[in-house]
Amino acid sequence: DAKTTQPNSMESNEEEPVHLPCNHSTISGTDYIHWYRQLPSQGPEYVIHGLTSNVNNRMASLAIAEDRKSSTLILHRATLRDAAVYYCILRPGNAGGTSYGKLTFGQGTILTVHP
Amino acid sequence: ETGVTQTPRHLVMGMTNKKSLKCEQHLGHNAMYWYKQSAKKPLELMFVYSLEERVENNSVPSRFSPECPNSSHLFLHLHTLQPEDSALYLCASSQDIQGANQPQHFGDGTRLSIL
């Protein structure tokens, strides 16, 4: 499976935008880019996903580089409740055989939000 | 309301005890998953079920025994566990197992401590 690389930690101030980067230079053409986050004492929470085009939802925006070798999760106005571990994950789109919807989690980026 | 409910939230047991973890999803999904999250380690996929049939056992020791009586319920039966099995056990569901563009929905986990 293609790997992702994220910074170990990032910090932000409340009500400022946050850009969380992810590198995935070995991404294949059918891999979807997923982002999850895990708040303290909770299970992971789906944030957003995309394939080629930028995506927006009520939680965040996902900006995907034209060559798809990197992506950025954008939180437009960080709140204290956004403090969490953010995971960037590639999911094989060629879902036959052994894919089984696997989500392969890495270490993620620990986001700290300051008041 | 996450749609995926896990009980109990916390469990302490001795190595000779037998206990079960329960997961219930109210989302009408066909696929369910067990993950293990140990301290300072990424989430590890343990088991995958599709329409009540186990489709993956990710090299999990036999002291962990999953059961999926219907598409809404998933159990993890525990017996003769070891101290290194202390971890957060997370259940997840998705519409089906091969949808790379489908999110997985997680419960908040059971924090298991083995004495």
Side-chain angles (χ1 to χ4, degrees):
Chain A
D1 292 344
K3 302 275 187 214
T4 62
T5 303
Q6 300 178 251
N8 290 331
S9 63
M10 291 185 65
E11 297 186 18
S12 174
N13 295 317
E14 203 173 7
E15 299 194 4
E16 290 185 355
V18 181
H19 291 235
L20 296 162
C22 180
N23 288 319
H24 29 77
S25 58
T26 60
I27 191 171
S28 75
T30 56
D31 286 345
Y32 283 82
I33 302 162
H34 283 246
W35 283 82
Y36 284 74
R37 71 180 186 181
Q38 188 170 18
L39 280 67
S41 302
Q42 294 187 23
E45 174 186 29
Y46 166 78
V47 178
I48 201 167
H49 78 273
L51 184 62
T52 57
S53 302
N54 295 343
V55 185
N56 300 295
N57 66 20
R58 63 175 179 83
M59 291 181 69
S61 296
L62 176 60
I64 302 174
E66 196 168 335
D67 63 3
R68 300 209 330 124
K69 293 183 183 299
S70 66
S71 61
T72 303
L73 179 71
I74 303 167
L75 307 179
H76 294 286
R77 292 183 62 190
T79 71
L80 296 178
R81 292 189 301 172
D82 291 322
V85 181
Y86 286 78
Y87 299 99
C88 171
I89 302 169
L90 300 182
R91 294 187 73 185
N94 181 13
T98 61
S99 172
Y100 292 126
K102 283 182 181 178
L103 282 177
T104 303
F105 286 80
Q107 296 288 1
T109 297
I110 300 172
L111 175 65
T112 301
V113 180
H114 298 290
Chain B
E1 173 60 57
T2 64
V4 179
T5 304
Q6 291 187 244
T7 55
R9 289 296 310 274
H10 302 273
L11 179 62
V12 179
M13 57 187 286
M15 290 190 286
T16 58
N17 292 155
K18 290 184 180 181
K19 297 286 185 183
S20 296
L21 310 184
K22 179 182 176 182
C23 175
E24 184 174 2
Q25 57 99 357
H26 313 277
L27 301 169
H29 289 165
N30 295 319
M32 297 187 77
Y33 312 80
W34 279 117
Y35 289 84
K36 175 184 179 182
Q37 187 173 31
S38 303
K40 299 183 179 179
K41 292 179 66 176
L43 276 80
E44 304 169 60
L45 181 63
M46 300 175 70
F47 300 104
V48 180
Y49 276 84
S50 175
L51 295 170
E52 301 133 48
E53 178 183 348
R54 190 192 314 178
V55 296
E56 181 159 342
N57 174 345
N58 206 20
S59 302
V60 179
S62 60
R63 58 186 183 269
F64 295 90
S65 175
E67 178 190 4
C68 188
N70 55 63
S71 59
S72 298
H73 293 86
L74 186 65
F75 294 89
L76 188 62
H77 304 298
L78 315 171
H79 64 96
T80 322
L81 295 192
Q82 304 299 310
E84 62 265 27
D85 296 323
S86 297
L88 181 67
Y89 289 85
L90 291 156
C91 173
S93 72
S94 64
Q95 186 59 53
D96 58 43
I97 63 171
Q98 293 191 334
N101 61 346
Q102 296 171 3
Q104 287 188 11
H105 297 258
F106 285 80
D108 286 333
T110 295
R111 174 71 62 186
L112 177 65
S113 298
I114 307 300
L115 301 179

